[in-house]
Amino acid sequence: EGGFHIWGDCGDGPVRVNKGNQSAHMNDWTTLDQAVAWVRDTSRDGAVAKQPFFLYQGMNIVHPPYVTDEGHLARIPREKVTAPAWPAFDDPKIHPCDLQASMKKGCARHDLSLNTTDHKVSVRTVYYAMIAEFDDMVGEYMRAVDDMGLTDRTIFIVSSDHGDMQMEHMQYYKMVAYEASTHVPLVIAGPGIGHHEVQTLTSLVDLLPTFVELAGAASPPR
């Protein structure tokens, strides 16, 4: 197709809102429910008896396709969501790499009304609603840990493997070297960790040695 429409529909097709509180991310919730049940398990096989314990969940939420439910969408004030302006696709100021990425992601198609404020705001609003649901999921873990009296020996680490262009530079999703695509959150909270921000450059490769140090284990040989 001449470089068009290889990686998606510029967020157009996948945007969907389920009725009521019917989550569009039940696989994540199912995994979470199983993990939380282990945290609350008071047998010798549960988290309470483990010293230390390690629990990890890689979630699919906050990721295209852009799908949510009416309950989480209602938390996002759509009127406050902005839409980045796009230049004309034949503008000579557009970097060739930007144009190629837009074409591959289906954003440069003239047969779809993609360069509209409504479409861009819809993508962003649903994305923020997914973040709100992700926040609920993290909250379930925190509540279970606290209910079981494990807060004073539990450290939470929340991060992601990539960001999202959010319709900036005429594209969505990841796979480009812009900060919106590559910059991810990294939150570490727990006993002995003061409330502060680290301004130095960090990377996800720093997490494994951090886990090892926090667990009091010996570092693997280089």
Side-chain angles (χ1 to χ4, degrees):
E1 295 185 51
F4 286 83
H5 196 211
I6 296 176
W7 291 337
D9 286 315
C10 201
D12 185 53
V15 174
R16 188 180 79 247
V17 179
N18 288 350
K19 294 291 185 181
N21 294 317
Q22 181 184 353
S23 175
H25 306 278
M26 288 309 301
N27 287 341
D28 286 330
W29 281 108
T30 298
T31 301
L32 182 144
D33 289 342
Q34 294 170 348
V36 165
W38 179 77
V39 173
R40 295 183 179 278
D41 183 357
T42 57
S43 75
R44 65 180 183 179
D45 296 321
V48 175
K50 299 297 182 180
Q51 190 72 273
F53 69 86
F54 180 85
L55 175 60
Y56 164 83
Q57 180 177 352
M59 299 176 182
N60 293 316
I61 196 173
V62 195
H63 191 286
Y66 300 103
V67 291
T68 189
D69 58 80
E70 291 177 334
H72 287 97
L73 189 64
R75 300 186 192 179
I76 311 302
R78 183 184 175 96
E79 69 277 4
K80 295 184 179 181
V81 178
T82 59
W86 289 3
F89 283 101
D90 58 356
D91 190 326
K93 296 180 181 178
I94 297 177
H95 194 282
C97 291
D98 280 343
L99 181 58
Q100 182 192 45
S102 296
M103 293 169 66
K104 283 183 171 291
K105 295 177 181 179
C107 295
R109 298 179 64 186
H110 297 289
D111 57 329
L112 298 175
S113 298
L114 302 175
N115 188 11
T116 65
T117 297
D118 182 69
H119 172 62
K120 298 169 192 172
V121 168
S122 292
V123 168
R124 287 186 158 199
T125 304
V126 171
Y127 189 81
Y128 299 152
M130 289 194 291
I131 294 176
E133 187 170 0
F134 171 78
D135 187 66
D136 286 348
M137 294 177 181
V138 174
E140 287 298 313
Y141 278 115
M142 297 181 69
R143 185 175 299 107
V145 166
D146 195 55
D147 287 348
M148 301 309 295
L150 299 172
T151 301
D152 63 349
R153 65 179 178 96
T154 301
I155 293 176
F156 287 89
I157 300 179
V158 179
S159 190
S160 178
D161 60 334
H162 63 82
D164 192 291
M165 288 304 293
Q166 283 293 282
M167 312 311 283
E168 293 180 11
H169 292 275
M170 309 173 296
Q171 55 187 286
Y172 77 119
Y173 202 19
K174 54 178 181 177
M175 297 174 287
V176 289
Y178 283 112
E179 185 163 337
S181 174
T182 61
H183 193 176
V184 298
L186 176 57
V187 180
I188 303 177
I193 300 176
H195 187 278
H196 64 282
E197 294 184 4
V198 176
Q199 300 297 331
T200 53
L201 186 64
T202 59
S203 170
L204 296 180
V205 299
D206 298 322
L207 290 184
L208 177 57
T210 301
F211 294 153
V212 172
E213 181 179 346
L214 290 172
S219 299
R222 293 182 178 274

